[in-house]
Amino acid sequence: MAKSSLEKALEKYQKEAQKNIKKQIDAEKKLADKQRREAEKQARITARRERAASIVNGQPTIGGMKILDSASEELVSFICKGNCRDEYRMTNNDVDIPTYLENDLALEFEKLKQYGLISQYRYYITGCWEITILPCLLDYFERKEKAIMEDKQSNNTNTF
């Protein structure tokens, strides 16, 4: 028996409704996926900041100057040897950083930011990065040496 035009229209309407429901479900899944990825990304950033803060806050202050941890000092020495562009910006093309430091470079940059030696950094999944250094990074080692000598002198005068 042939279908009437009403039956055909009803079937067409039902198919369209099913397609629309499927599209809506797919869109909701995509949105939930995107929100989950964003939440995971924010959790990673927060964890990195907290880890960097615990390292930075655990470092000693000598002569009013916060002394860097050893990995940060090595990174600063490599940055100082690099080719500083205009406006104190540097990229992965300007600095040769060894692999052992590159493995967690985002953490190292976060520590330098918390130490107050860089103003911002961008680290991309591809391994490319860009930092904006502050002028105090370039003379860190001289300031550290001076702070240690002043601290030794003040300790020597206090012992007599």
Side-chain angles (χ1 to χ4, degrees):
M1 187 159 148
K3 294 183 182 178
S4 70
S5 61
L6 181 60
E7 290 174 327
K8 289 179 183 177
L10 185 58
E11 282 181 3
K12 184 177 179 182
Y13 175 77
Q14 288 174 337
K15 285 181 182 179
E16 285 295 319
Q18 286 176 341
K19 283 182 185 178
N20 288 338
I21 289 172
K22 186 178 181 326
K23 284 181 182 179
Q24 186 177 4
I25 290 171
D26 288 346
E28 288 173 1
K29 282 182 182 178
K30 283 183 181 180
L31 180 62
D33 237 17
K34 184 177 179 181
Q35 289 173 337
R36 180 188 51 78
R37 284 192 310 271
E38 186 62 31
E40 288 173 354
K41 179 182 174 184
Q42 289 303 320
R44 283 191 306 272
I45 290 170
T46 300
R48 181 184 315 123
R49 281 189 183 134
E50 289 173 359
R51 184 172 170 214
S54 69
I55 293 169
V56 170
N57 293 334
Q59 289 304 112
T61 301
I62 297 176
M65 181 181 169
K66 184 70 92 169
I67 303 299
L68 302 181
D69 61 281
S70 60
S72 294
E73 280 195 348
E74 288 184 54
L75 183 56
V76 166
S77 70
F78 287 113
I79 291 171
C80 288
K81 293 175 188 173
N83 181 21
C84 187
R85 295 181 183 198
D86 61 322
E87 299 178 16
Y88 295 97
R89 285 186 297 192
M90 300 181 91
T91 68
N92 53 300
N93 295 325
D94 303 320
V95 181
D96 287 328
I97 296 177
T99 305
Y100 68 91
L101 283 173
E102 280 186 341
N103 288 337
D104 204 357
L105 202 51
L107 173 67
E108 297 302 324
F109 287 152
E110 182 62 34
K111 289 189 309 186
L112 292 182
K113 185 174 182 179
Q114 291 186 20
Y115 281 123
L117 298 177
I118 65 174
S119 63
Q120 68 177 352
Y121 68 92
R122 291 188 192 103
Y123 184 80
Y124 304 101
I125 295 172
T126 60
C128 297
W129 53 267
E130 179 182 346
I131 59 173
T132 303
I133 64 172
L134 296 172
C136 60
L137 181 139
L138 297 173
D139 66 351
Y140 166 77
F141 293 105
E142 291 84 13
R143 290 183 301 112
K144 176 186 171 185
E145 187 176 312
K146 183 179 176 184
I148 291 172
M149 291 179 86
E150 287 176 0
D151 188 58
K152 283 181 182 178
Q153 288 176 349
S154 68
N155 285 342
N156 286 342
T157 58
N158 290 338
T159 57
F160 292 113

